[in-house]
Amino acid sequence: MSTLASNPLAADTKLGPASPWGSSQKGCEPLNPPQTGEALAMIIITRPNATEDQIEHIVARIHGWGLRAEVSRGEMRVVIGVIGPEDKIREKPLGAFPGVESVTPVLKPYKLVSYEFRGMPSKIKIGNVVVGGKEVVLMAGPCSVENEDQIIAIAQSIGKAGAKILRGGAFKPRTSPYSFQGLGKAGLQLLAEARRETGLPIITEVMDTKDLELVGEYADCLQVGARNMQNFSLLREVGRTKLPVMLKRGMAASIKDLLMSAEYILSEGNFNVLLCERGIRTFETMTRNTLDLNAVPVLKAETHLPVVVDPTHGIGIRQFVPSMALAAVAAGADAIMIEVHNAPELAKSDGEQCLLPGEFADLVGRIRGVAEAIGREV
Ligand code: PEP
Ligand code: MN
């Protein structure tokens, strides 16, 4: 088993999506997942004046002990996350190294996703777009890819309006087996064509491990949908790629459940994960779901991973999507995902909740206003 590269996040952001399987298949083997009850993460915080030699020495020693090290560089300090079997970590004198200021165990059940494991927010690169920085990134597109004219026209309009990432489902998880299930491979090819036409990177859903290789050839970011949030074999498989993964919260999942599911992906070596709040089921019947904006500040405090909000599925009614999108930005979302369709009455899925291109363009201007009011940009 190999260990993580010293800073896989930094390295991954340079790799881009050219080779979806990239180093996960070759140079950097998947990590063995920590065994339940045995894994411990320890956070080493270095002194502000710690030298590069001291940091390298600590990392080399950790690797020499057969433990994993994850290095995160802040402006003032370096945080080194150590993970491995509890008995092995506890006996090591981690505080004895020159340059170390403090050593603290991560006691939470989610370790690699916990904020303290990196000590700073993660920035995830999707194509050339960075999510998790100052910019609030807009992702938009239809629920389903339906045909060439539809996806190209929508991609062009949302790109012109300011969206940075194109969404669209080729494999659709539908409540009824008789509803449109998506175009499959043909849909992925149409998404690739829309990317060529517009330059927008694409995010699309993978529903099954058997489709992962195919979807991975086209997607710049994989979406794991709400219904699959606890499909642990799928989570492990996407964790073995180096592609960014947006994990949507299950409709009956707690915030902690979401974090634990993300931990599956990171524990396989893929740190390029975004979390998406998309509404949960409650007793309320006036809206499709209840968008839990509480989750946004809670997640921002609990994890270093960027937070995306999908107000479209969250409220499920076109008229109310813009208000919830604005509220999500105000709450601190790093990205907003919105369904847009140029002919909603003809849409094969979710026509009642998607915005028209003009409505989306209008919303972008208002989102910009809110983003600027809280010190961010669009
Ligand atoms: C979607 O994004 O179109 C979708 C099916 O989302 P969710 O998994 O949140 O229902
Ligand atoms: Mn949808």
Side-chain angles (χ1 to χ4, degrees), residues 148-149 151-152 155 166 186-199 202 218:
E148 187 178 355
D149 290 349
I151 192 67
I152 303 284
L166 173 65
L188 297 172
Q189 288 167 334
L190 293 177
L191 281 170
E193 195 182 326
R195 173 174 51 200
R196 271 196 304 279
E197 288 287 323
T198 59
I202 53 187
Y218 292 89

Side-chain angles (χ1 to χ4, degrees), residues 126 136-143 165-169 202-205 221-223 246 248 276-278 291 307-314 321 325 328-329 333-340 355 360 363 367:
I126 299 176
V136 179
V137 173
L138 303 180
M139 309 175 171
C143 181
I165 296 172
L166 173 65
R167 66 145 285 147
I202 53 187
I203 175 168
T204 195
E205 177 158 357
C221 180
L222 300 166
Q223 172 171 318
M246 186 181 81
K248 295 186 95 172
C276 180
E277 165 58 40
R278 49 77 71 204
L291 186 67
V307 176
V308 184
V309 172
D310 169 356
T312 306
H313 292 86
V321 169
V329 175
D334 297 300
I336 304 289
M337 175 180 265
I338 308 238
E339 285 186 348
V340 176
L355 299 188
F360 176 70
L363 175 59
I367 286 179

Side-chain angles (χ1 to χ4, degrees), residues 20-21 24-25 28 30-31 33 212 233 235-243 265 268-270:
W21 307 103
S24 70
Q25 298 283 300
C28 174
L31 300 166
L212 180 55
S233 32
L235 298 178
R236 284 203 196 280
E237 286 297 323
V238 298
R240 290 181 183 133
T241 76
K242 285 288 171 194
L243 276 174
I265 305 175
E268 292 291 338
N270 187 354

